[in-house]
Amino acid sequence: MSQSLAKKTAAAFVEKFGYEPTGVWSAPGRVNLIGEHTDYNEGFVFPLAINRRTYTAFGKRSDGVFRVATSFSDQTHQVLLSEISAGQNYDWAAYPFGMAWAVIQKAKAAGLEVDLSAGFDCFIDSDVPVGAGLSSSAAIECAVGVAINELWNLNLDDRTLAQAGQLGENEIVGAPTGIMDQSASMLGQLDHAVFLDCRTLETQAIELGFAAAGLELLIIDTRVAHRLVDGGYAERRAACERGAELLGASSLRDVSEADLTRAREIMDDVTFRRVRHVVTENQRVLDTIKTLREKGPAAIGRLMYQSHQSMRDDFEISIDELDTAVETALAHGAIGARMTGGGFGGAAIALTPIEKISEVTLAVLAEFENLGYATPNIFSVSAADGAAREQLI
Ligand code: GLA
C-alpha cells in the first residue's frame, strides 16, 4: 500500500509539473499512547508513529520558487523561499512553507550555507486522516523536511528536523504546539513507541509487543475535526504557564504530586485542575513505561483510562463523542482507552484484544448511531518507522 501511494505521488507530480521528480520522501502520522499536553510543559510523552503516511515527491527548480500541489486541494501555491514569513495567509501550504522556512533557520543557526536560488516543486499525497488528531500536519512537515534536508545536502539530524517542524508550525502556521508530534514522526520505529523527555529532548524507543500479546491498537476517529489554531489549545497552555509561575517553577515539569496540596491553596480551581492534569500525567507516562517493561502491554489499560479521566475532568479537553468512544470500547472488551492528541475533537484509542475488535467496532458504531453522532471512522494502526526517503521499485 505504501509503495503504491509513493508511486501514485510520483505519477501525480509528473502530471502536475511535467517532469520526473528527483525522489519521493515520506513521514508517518502519530498517535500518542499516553502523555497529553505535557510536551510544552517540558514533561514526558510516549507516542508512536503509525502506518499511515504522507508522501512528498520533489523536483528541483533554479529560480528560488517553492511550488506545492496536493491531491486534497485544487489550489497550487507558490512562494519565493527567501520571502516566507509569519502573518501571511498561505492556506494549507503554511505547513510545507513553514517547514522550508524553519529548515532555513536551523541551517543558518548551524552555520550552513543555504542556496536560496535553488527552489523546489513538490506534490503531496497522504493516507493520514486530516483533523483526526493523528498529526497529519506533522507528517507533511516531516516529509517536506527530510526531502529538503537531502536536496540541500544539509545533514541536519532527525531531532533538529523535528524542532524545525515545531518552529514552522509555531511561527508560520501560528499554532502554539509542542515538540511531540514531529518527534514521533521523525523518530518512530517499527513496533516501538518513542519515550521523549521534552526538556532534554532525549529519546528512547521502547518495544510495545502488542501483536505478541494478542492486542491491537484501535483508532476511533470521531470525525469531529479538531483545530489547534482555535483558542482552546492556547488557553490550556496559558493556564499551565500561569500555574507554574504561581508555584515559582520555570515549568510544570518541576512540580511534583507532593506540591499539589500547596497548589490547591494558592490558585483558582480551574488553574489548579490544569496543573493537576499535567503533573499526574507526567507520572502516568513513567508508570506506563515501567508497567510495559515489567508486566507487558496487557497491564497498561488502567493508566490509559486514568489519563482519559484526567483530560475529561481536570483538563476539560474531551467531548461527548470521545467519552462515548472510550466508555463503549471499555464496556465491550478493550483493556484500555483514552482520547489522544490535542482534544476538542479528533480520535480516541482503544487497546483491544484481537478477538474483541469486531465487537468493539460494532458497539461503538451502534452507540454513535443511537446518540445521533456522525459515523466514526474506526481502524487499527501499528507502530511504524519514521520519516525517510522512499525506495521506488
Ligand atoms: C497536539 C500538539 C502537541 C501536543 C498535543 C497534546 O497534538 O501538536 O504538541 O501538545 O496536542 O498532547
Side-chain angles (χ1 to χ4, degrees):
M1 166 141 160
S2 62
Q3 259 295 321
S4 68
L5 193 47
K7 282 187 183 158
K8 197 175 144 232
T9 311
F13 179 100
V14 176
E15 189 165 320
K16 183 80 198 173
F17 299 117
Y19 67 103
E20 288 288 333
T22 310
V24 176
W25 286 258
S26 75
R30 67 97 189 90
V31 285
N32 191 15
L33 198 57
I34 197 157
E36 221 67 82
H37 286 262
T38 45
D39 61 352
Y40 54 79
N41 290 300
E42 300 193 345
F44 304 116
V45 293
F46 194 38
L48 51 134
I50 58 173
N51 53 337
R52 297 286 190 119
R53 302 181 80 83
T54 292
Y55 295 82
T56 54
F58 266 82
K60 281 190 173 181
R61 302 169 61 98
S62 51
D63 55 2
V65 167
F66 185 18
R67 190 161 54 145
V68 289
T70 174
S71 58
F72 51 80
S73 162
D74 293 337
Q75 288 284 315
T76 301
H77 292 278
Q78 67 174 55
V79 71
L80 263 179
L81 281 164
S82 58
E83 288 183 356
I84 301 171
S85 60
Q88 310 293 319
N89 180 10
Y90 294 129
D91 192 22
W92 66 267
Y95 296 101
F97 290 173
M99 187 63 177
W101 173 85
V103 167
I104 295 167
Q105 310 311 308
K106 291 288 175 192
K108 283 185 183 159
L112 300 167
E113 285 271 322
V114 183
D115 179 11
L116 290 182
S117 67
F120 307 107
D121 287 321
C122 167
F123 193 92
I124 301 174
D125 205 346
S126 181
D127 62 9
V128 184
V130 173
L134 300 177
S135 291
S136 54
S137 29
I140 296 177
E141 290 152 12
C142 294
V144 165
V146 278
I148 291 183
N149 190 39
E150 188 175 331
L151 292 168
W152 268 336
N153 291 316
L154 295 172
N155 285 317
L156 297 173
D157 61 22
D158 288 349
R159 194 183 293 182
T160 307
L161 289 175
Q163 288 176 310
Q166 184 196 10
L167 183 66
E169 190 149 334
N170 290 170
E171 300 299 322
I172 305 297
V173 178
T177 49
I179 188 71
M180 169 169 72
D181 306 344
Q182 296 81 3
S183 299
S185 186
M186 288 305 306
L187 299 163
Q189 277 185 33
L190 195 68
D191 296 329
H192 291 67
V194 181
F195 172 42
L196 170 67
D197 179 336
C198 300
R199 170 169 276 174
T200 62
L201 294 188
E202 274 168 38
T203 58
Q204 219 180 319
I206 295 180
E207 195 167 358
L208 291 168
F210 288 166
L215 297 170
E216 253 179 42
L217 193 60
L218 208 56
I219 305 284
I220 304 164
D221 172 8
T222 62
R223 314 254 308 274
V224 179
H226 86 138
R227 283 167 44 83
L228 299 175
V229 286
D230 289 345
Y233 185 95
E235 195 276 328
R236 295 304 182 280
R237 190 172 176 153
C240 293
E241 281 159 16
R242 191 165 67 238
E245 198 182 324
L246 286 167
L247 286 161
S250 69
S251 78
L252 291 182
R253 167 63 176 274
D254 296 321
V255 178
S256 70
E257 292 190 37
D259 298 320
L260 290 176
T261 317
R262 186 165 71 92
R264 190 194 282 279
E265 282 162 12
I266 63 171
M267 58 188 75
D268 64 274
D269 180 57
V270 169
T271 310
F272 168 69
R273 287 185 291 114
R274 307 297 187 247
V275 168
R276 181 166 62 184
H277 165 71
V278 173
V279 171
T280 56
E281 185 79 350
N282 274 331
Q283 188 58 46
R284 278 187 290 271
V285 175
L286 300 178
D287 292 347
T288 299
I289 287 162
K290 189 166 183 282
T291 306
L292 199 54
R293 283 185 168 138
E294 290 174 2
K295 300 185 181 151
I300 66 171
R302 192 180 45 87
L303 289 157
M304 291 173 73
Y305 186 56
Q306 285 172 355
S307 168
H308 183 76
Q309 290 173 307
S310 179
M311 287 187 283
R312 184 190 62 201
D313 303 337
D314 274 356
F315 221 60
E316 295 179 290
I317 53 171
S318 190
I319 58 169
D320 291 345
E321 285 85 342
L322 288 167
D323 294 340
T324 299
V326 166
E327 298 300 339
T328 310
L330 288 173
H332 288 269
I335 61 150
R338 59 186 286 276
M339 56 145 286
T340 184
F344 309 103
I349 53 174
L351 190 58
T352 308
I354 290 166
E355 67 277 10
K356 293 281 184 183
I357 292 283
S358 63
E359 183 183 336
V360 167
T361 305
L362 292 173
V364 172
L365 286 170
E367 191 59 11
F368 270 54
E369 193 174 344
N370 266 343
L371 293 166
Y373 299 157
T375 308
N377 184 16
I378 306 178
F379 53 95
S380 294
V381 291
S382 56
D385 284 325
R389 185 169 184 156
E390 291 286 318
Q391 301 305 325
L392 296 186
I393 40 172

